[in-house]
Amino acid sequence: MTSLAALKSVAASVSERDMANAIRALAMDSVQKANSGHPGMPMGMADVATVLFSRFINIDPTAPDWPDRDRFVLSAGHGSMLQYALHYLLGYEDMPIEELQRFRQLGSRTAGHPEHGHALGIETTTGPLGQGISTAVGMALAERMLAARHGADLVDHYTYAIAGDGCLQEGISHEAIDLAGHLKLSRLIVLWDDNAISIDGPTSLSTSMDQPARFKAAGWLVQLVDGHDMEAVAAAIEAARQADRPSLIACRTVIGKGAPNLGGSEKTHGAPLGDAEIAATRQNIGWAYAPFKVPDDILSAWREIAGRGQAARRAWEQRLAASPQRKAFERAIGGKLPDAVFEALGAFRKEHVEKATKVATRKASEMALAAINGATELTVGGSADLTHSNLTITKDMDRIVPGGYAGRYVHYGIREHGMAAAMNGIALHGGFIPYGGTFLCFADYARGAMRLSALMSQRVVYVMTHDSIGLGEDGPTHQPIEHLAMLRATPNLNVFRPADIIETAECWELALKSERRPSVLVLSRQNLPMLRQAHSDENRSSRGAYVLREPSAHRAVTLIATGSEVEIAVAAAERLEREHGIAAAVVSMPSWELFEEQDADYRKSVLGSAPRVAVEAAARLGWDRWIGDTGAFVGMTGFGASAPAPDLYKHFDITPEAVATAAMKLII
């Protein structure tokens, strides 16, 4: 391995301008070879990125998951070649030059937009504009919270994000910058690629927003610099690092910088420059090298940065080894919950089976959370200004406040989308398991970030209460109908709709154990009876569905339900047997996803061969998978209405009588 001293000697004569031009050349060559991509942003921000990485950022490509590394988020993810070029130049082992030559091709590490887990060192998946800067807020919050718990010797890093005009136009950015400014997240530094160009042309076509004024109003330090003046950029970053609040550095840049004919034009945004313009650019920037060729001295200058990061990482490891906080810190970063959490949940289930506790599942969730939060400090809660409706706070949970980060409860404000993105950032950062609440209907507002939770395989728990027409008088604007179908259609997402307090505790356990999958807990506003007949150490919800009530005679019909409608199915089964002598089984199906994962024999044993009726106060979409072509569905066919919950269930004919009638039509 080449020594750091040797690298410094080789790289001494290399200017940062040369280093930036390496990024420009690699970006335009990769996009040209792929005949697809976005060269303009990497070329325009090459100078800013070079200053950031050469003078400030602490990362070690040989240990990309080093806990105290600085986080770098490319929020303008369409400019992914900026990140891939950096990774090649810095020496990430999975990013040889051949990967840049396979940009945007099937099976390559160099996907069209940066994808967390797909290549080393990519902190978060970006591409949907606004998600990166919003996720970075969560990372910066997690850094402050972890530092408050374990001290600056172990946690002392920055979160840097490069954002574009599109990121700042997306509505989620307002939620994110407002939250970050309020919480005074001083370790968050956003470098805005202020090139005044969007896909359609100049940004003046669609916006007159004074972005610096917006950030100032949210409590940020704002600096305006020429993004091609490297000393000005460096001075601004240094000032931002000393600030007591988050920072925006507005870097005025030229999109496609270096291209003599297309620079400054929207034509460089999302298309190859073409052979002629690339040749002219090479001449214009003095880059007399073949495509994908970076001279040894320039490459050595970049690798020197990696050497600096390696030295910083080793010094940190020595501090960790000597720290009395070592074991606690490693447990937090490892993210493994202690057995005490699951022992507490087991005792909780046994207690409430014996008590036959009747509560709304949102209340059951609060009660289960009290057991969870009492057994671990890894969980960090929050709500989108619905704390006492979602019931997401428990006893002795101190709140996060501006400048005070020792607590474990976040008031995200009325910012569902920003909350979901921030929770992604907290989970990605490490050290915590985030959960946050809102009404199920407002999963619409959080949807973009929830999808990324699933895409990135992050353990984020969404506590979605007021799950049906059962919320009552607030009416159809607040009553979710199509939301369960939408969530269930999302790959790698657990959707749990528990029927009672026991299933709620079981679903919480499953959500916490799902380390590579986010979960949605769908919870009722109205009280629900405890439906289990006896305690079992087995987590029956873990198989997705199970037979809650098996008739003594051979079953003539199977009633399948979730959540608050399981109670209705049980009453219908009792009515069928009592009044008509019909043997009806009741299946509770808290999780379609987990049931789908069971083997065929188990699924057959639960569903049986008799005709099936599904009951759910939501849209039918998807239920035919379980009830078959000849099954019946009792549920919603349109939007809800404003009235007390019992009146709504009668009005929409989701009743034991309706279920029994549907069953009899199938078997008589």
Side-chain angles (χ1 to χ4, degrees):
M1 181 180 291
T2 306
S3 70
L4 182 58
L7 284 173
K8 287 180 178 178
S9 176
V10 170
S13 62
V14 174
S15 71
E16 286 182 323
R17 194 71 62 192
D18 293 330
M19 296 168 70
N21 283 337
I23 296 173
R24 291 188 172 97
L26 290 171
M28 68 183 183
D29 288 342
S30 298
V31 172
Q32 185 68 22
K33 190 173 191 304
N35 196 30
S36 174
H38 302 75
M41 180 275 197
M43 296 174 72
M45 285 296 281
D47 297 326
V48 173
T50 298
V51 171
L52 174 63
F53 278 79
S54 68
R55 305 196 198 186
F56 295 101
I57 207 162
N58 266 330
I59 57 168
D60 179 5
T62 67
D65 293 332
W66 161 41
D68 201 35
R69 69 194 180 278
D70 288 335
R71 270 59 171 182
F72 172 67
V73 174
L74 186 65
S75 189
H78 56 274
S80 57
M81 266 311 307
L82 175 68
Q83 184 148 31
Y84 302 143
L86 286 166
H87 283 207
Y88 163 67
L89 294 167
L90 291 166
Y92 281 84
E93 65 178 6
D94 67 339
M95 200 59 67
I97 197 65
E98 291 79 11
E99 286 296 334
L100 275 62
Q101 293 168 339
R102 297 199 304 136
F103 180 50
R104 288 184 163 227
Q105 304 308 299
L106 184 64
S108 73
R109 298 280 184 189
T110 47
H113 294 84
E115 296 180 23
H116 173 73
H118 193 69
L120 298 174
I122 296 176
E123 301 287 1
T124 184
T125 296
T126 55
L129 294 176
Q131 289 291 336
I133 184 176
S134 306
T135 304
V137 170
M139 293 178 179
L141 175 57
E143 188 274 340
R144 291 289 78 197
M145 293 169 64
L146 208 61
R149 293 187 182 195
H150 301 287
D153 279 351
L154 300 184
V155 186
D156 183 19
H157 56 264
Y158 291 85
T159 299
Y160 299 98
I162 288 180
D165 293 299
C167 292
L168 303 191
Q169 286 186 40
E170 287 285 358
I172 189 175
S173 75
H174 183 80
E175 298 182 18
I177 69 170
D178 190 5
L179 179 62
H182 171 71
L183 291 177
K184 300 186 183 302
L185 299 180
S186 59
R187 297 305 182 92
L188 176 62
I189 300 173
V190 174
L191 300 147
W192 170 30
D193 180 18
D194 179 17
N195 60 35
I197 293 292
S198 62
I199 293 176
D200 285 353
T203 54
S204 59
L205 290 171
S206 60
T207 180
S208 301
M209 175 66 70
D210 184 338
Q211 293 289 0
R214 182 165 74 111
F215 277 80
K216 286 179 182 176
W220 290 52
L221 172 67
V222 175
Q223 302 173 80
L224 282 67
V225 300
D226 177 348
H228 304 301
D229 181 338
M230 290 182 160
E231 294 307 318
V233 171
I237 294 174
E238 183 58 45
R241 287 164 58 93
Q242 305 306 316
D244 61 354
R245 47 192 159 151
S247 290
L248 174 76
I249 303 175
C251 304
R252 189 63 173 172
T253 61
V254 176
I255 191 171
K257 173 72 171 176
N261 303 304
L262 297 180
S265 166
E266 70 273 9
K267 293 179 181 179
T268 70
H269 171 85
L273 298 183
D275 291 334
E277 185 71 1
I278 286 177
T281 302
R282 277 185 153 75
Q283 184 173 5
N284 190 43
I285 66 175
W287 191 260
Y289 311 104
F292 300 102
K293 173 63 178 175
V294 178
D296 289 345
D297 58 342
I298 296 177
L299 193 58
S300 294
W302 277 105
R303 299 290 162 89
E304 180 184 329
I305 297 169
R308 183 191 71 211
Q310 189 175 70
R313 189 256 304 170
R314 287 173 174 165
W316 176 84
E317 288 176 342
Q318 291 178 351
R319 295 197 301 275
L320 176 65
S323 174
Q325 283 282 322
R326 177 179 179 177
K327 289 184 178 179
F329 179 82
E330 289 178 338
R331 281 196 302 269
I333 288 297
K336 186 171 178 57
L337 287 162
D339 291 340
V341 170
F342 306 110
E343 292 167 359
L345 285 173
F348 177 91
R349 284 160 41 206
K350 186 174 188 298
E351 174 189 355
H352 290 288
V353 163
E354 293 171 352
K355 289 181 176 179
T357 302
K358 179 178 181 178
V359 290
T361 52
R362 63 169 178 158
K363 180 64 177 179
S365 171
E366 178 190 45
M367 296 162 68
L369 272 170
I372 294 164
N373 291 338
T376 182
E377 293 188 351
L378 281 179
T379 46
V380 172
S383 170
D385 198 53
L386 290 167
T387 293
H388 299 294
S389 291
N390 302 145
L391 304 180
T392 43
I393 197 169
T394 60
K395 185 180 178 182
D396 298 328
M397 287 186 85
D398 291 333
R399 292 166 166 82
I400 301 296
V401 297
Y405 310 105
R408 56 191 293 203
Y409 193 83
V410 184
H411 289 280
Y412 289 104
I414 308 164
R415 307 183 183 100
E416 291 87 356
H417 204 178
M419 175 181 73
M423 289 197 295
N424 283 341
I426 293 170
L428 287 160
H429 180 277
F432 305 99
I433 301 170
Y435 69 87
T438 187
F439 290 175
L440 178 60
C441 202
F442 303 136
D444 287 339
Y445 286 1
R447 163 69 179 159
M450 293 177 74
R451 183 174 188 268
L452 288 186
S453 302
L455 184 59
M456 295 188 289
S457 301
Q458 293 303 299
R459 180 169 47 178
V460 176
V461 184
Y462 295 95
V463 181
M464 300 291 189
T465 68
H466 296 60
D467 69 340
S468 70
I469 59 171
L471 71 87
E473 293 86 346
D474 278 341
T477 59
H478 286 53
Q479 292 166 4
I481 302 298
E482 71 279 21
H483 299 75
L484 284 169
M486 174 267 289
L487 293 169
R488 288 167 176 159
T490 305
N492 197 45
L493 179 67
N494 285 330
V495 182
F496 295 112
R497 189 166 187 243
D500 64 6
I501 190 171
I502 305 304
E503 284 191 2
T504 302
E506 289 178 336
C507 291
W508 259 112
E509 177 180 320
L510 295 168
L512 293 174
K513 287 182 174 179
S514 296
E515 296 183 9
R516 299 283 299 161
R517 187 184 293 183
S519 298
V520 182
L521 293 172
V522 179
L523 307 171
S524 75
R525 178 178 185 252
Q526 71 272 36
N527 288 343
L528 301 176
M530 197 281 297
L531 298 172
R532 293 284 177 87
Q533 298 301 308
H535 172 68
S536 169
D537 289 335
E538 176 191 4
N539 184 327
R540 300 191 72 187
S541 297
S542 67
R543 306 192 76 172
Y546 63 95
V547 180
L548 176 67
R549 180 188 188 277
E550 187 74 83
S552 54
H554 179 73
R555 70 167 86 167
V557 66
T558 300
L559 311 180
I560 312 170
T562 74
S564 48
E565 287 71 69
V566 177
E567 173 189 12
I568 293 172
V570 169
E574 293 171 350
R575 183 186 185 95
L576 285 167
E577 184 172 0
R578 181 178 66 251
E579 298 183 6
H580 304 285
I582 294 173
V586 175
V587 170
S588 179
M589 188 180 279
S591 172
W592 288 20
E593 296 76 26
L594 296 187
F595 188 59
E596 182 69 49
E597 293 173 3
Q598 306 308 307
D599 61 58
D601 288 342
Y602 179 76
R603 293 200 303 268
K604 184 176 180 181
S605 72
V606 171
L607 296 175
S609 57
R612 302 167 195 164
V613 180
V615 195
E616 189 171 66
R620 177 172 183 153
L621 185 65
W623 269 108
D624 293 280
R625 165 71 179 84
W626 307 117
I627 62 178
D629 294 340
T630 59
F633 177 74
V634 176
M636 298 295 292
T637 58
F639 294 113
S642 177
D647 295 345
L648 290 172
Y649 274 90
K650 291 177 183 177
H651 175 74
F652 290 108
D653 210 17
I654 305 174
T655 63
E657 295 79 10
V659 175
T661 298
M664 291 174 62
K665 287 180 179 179
L666 293 180
I667 61 180
I668 294 177

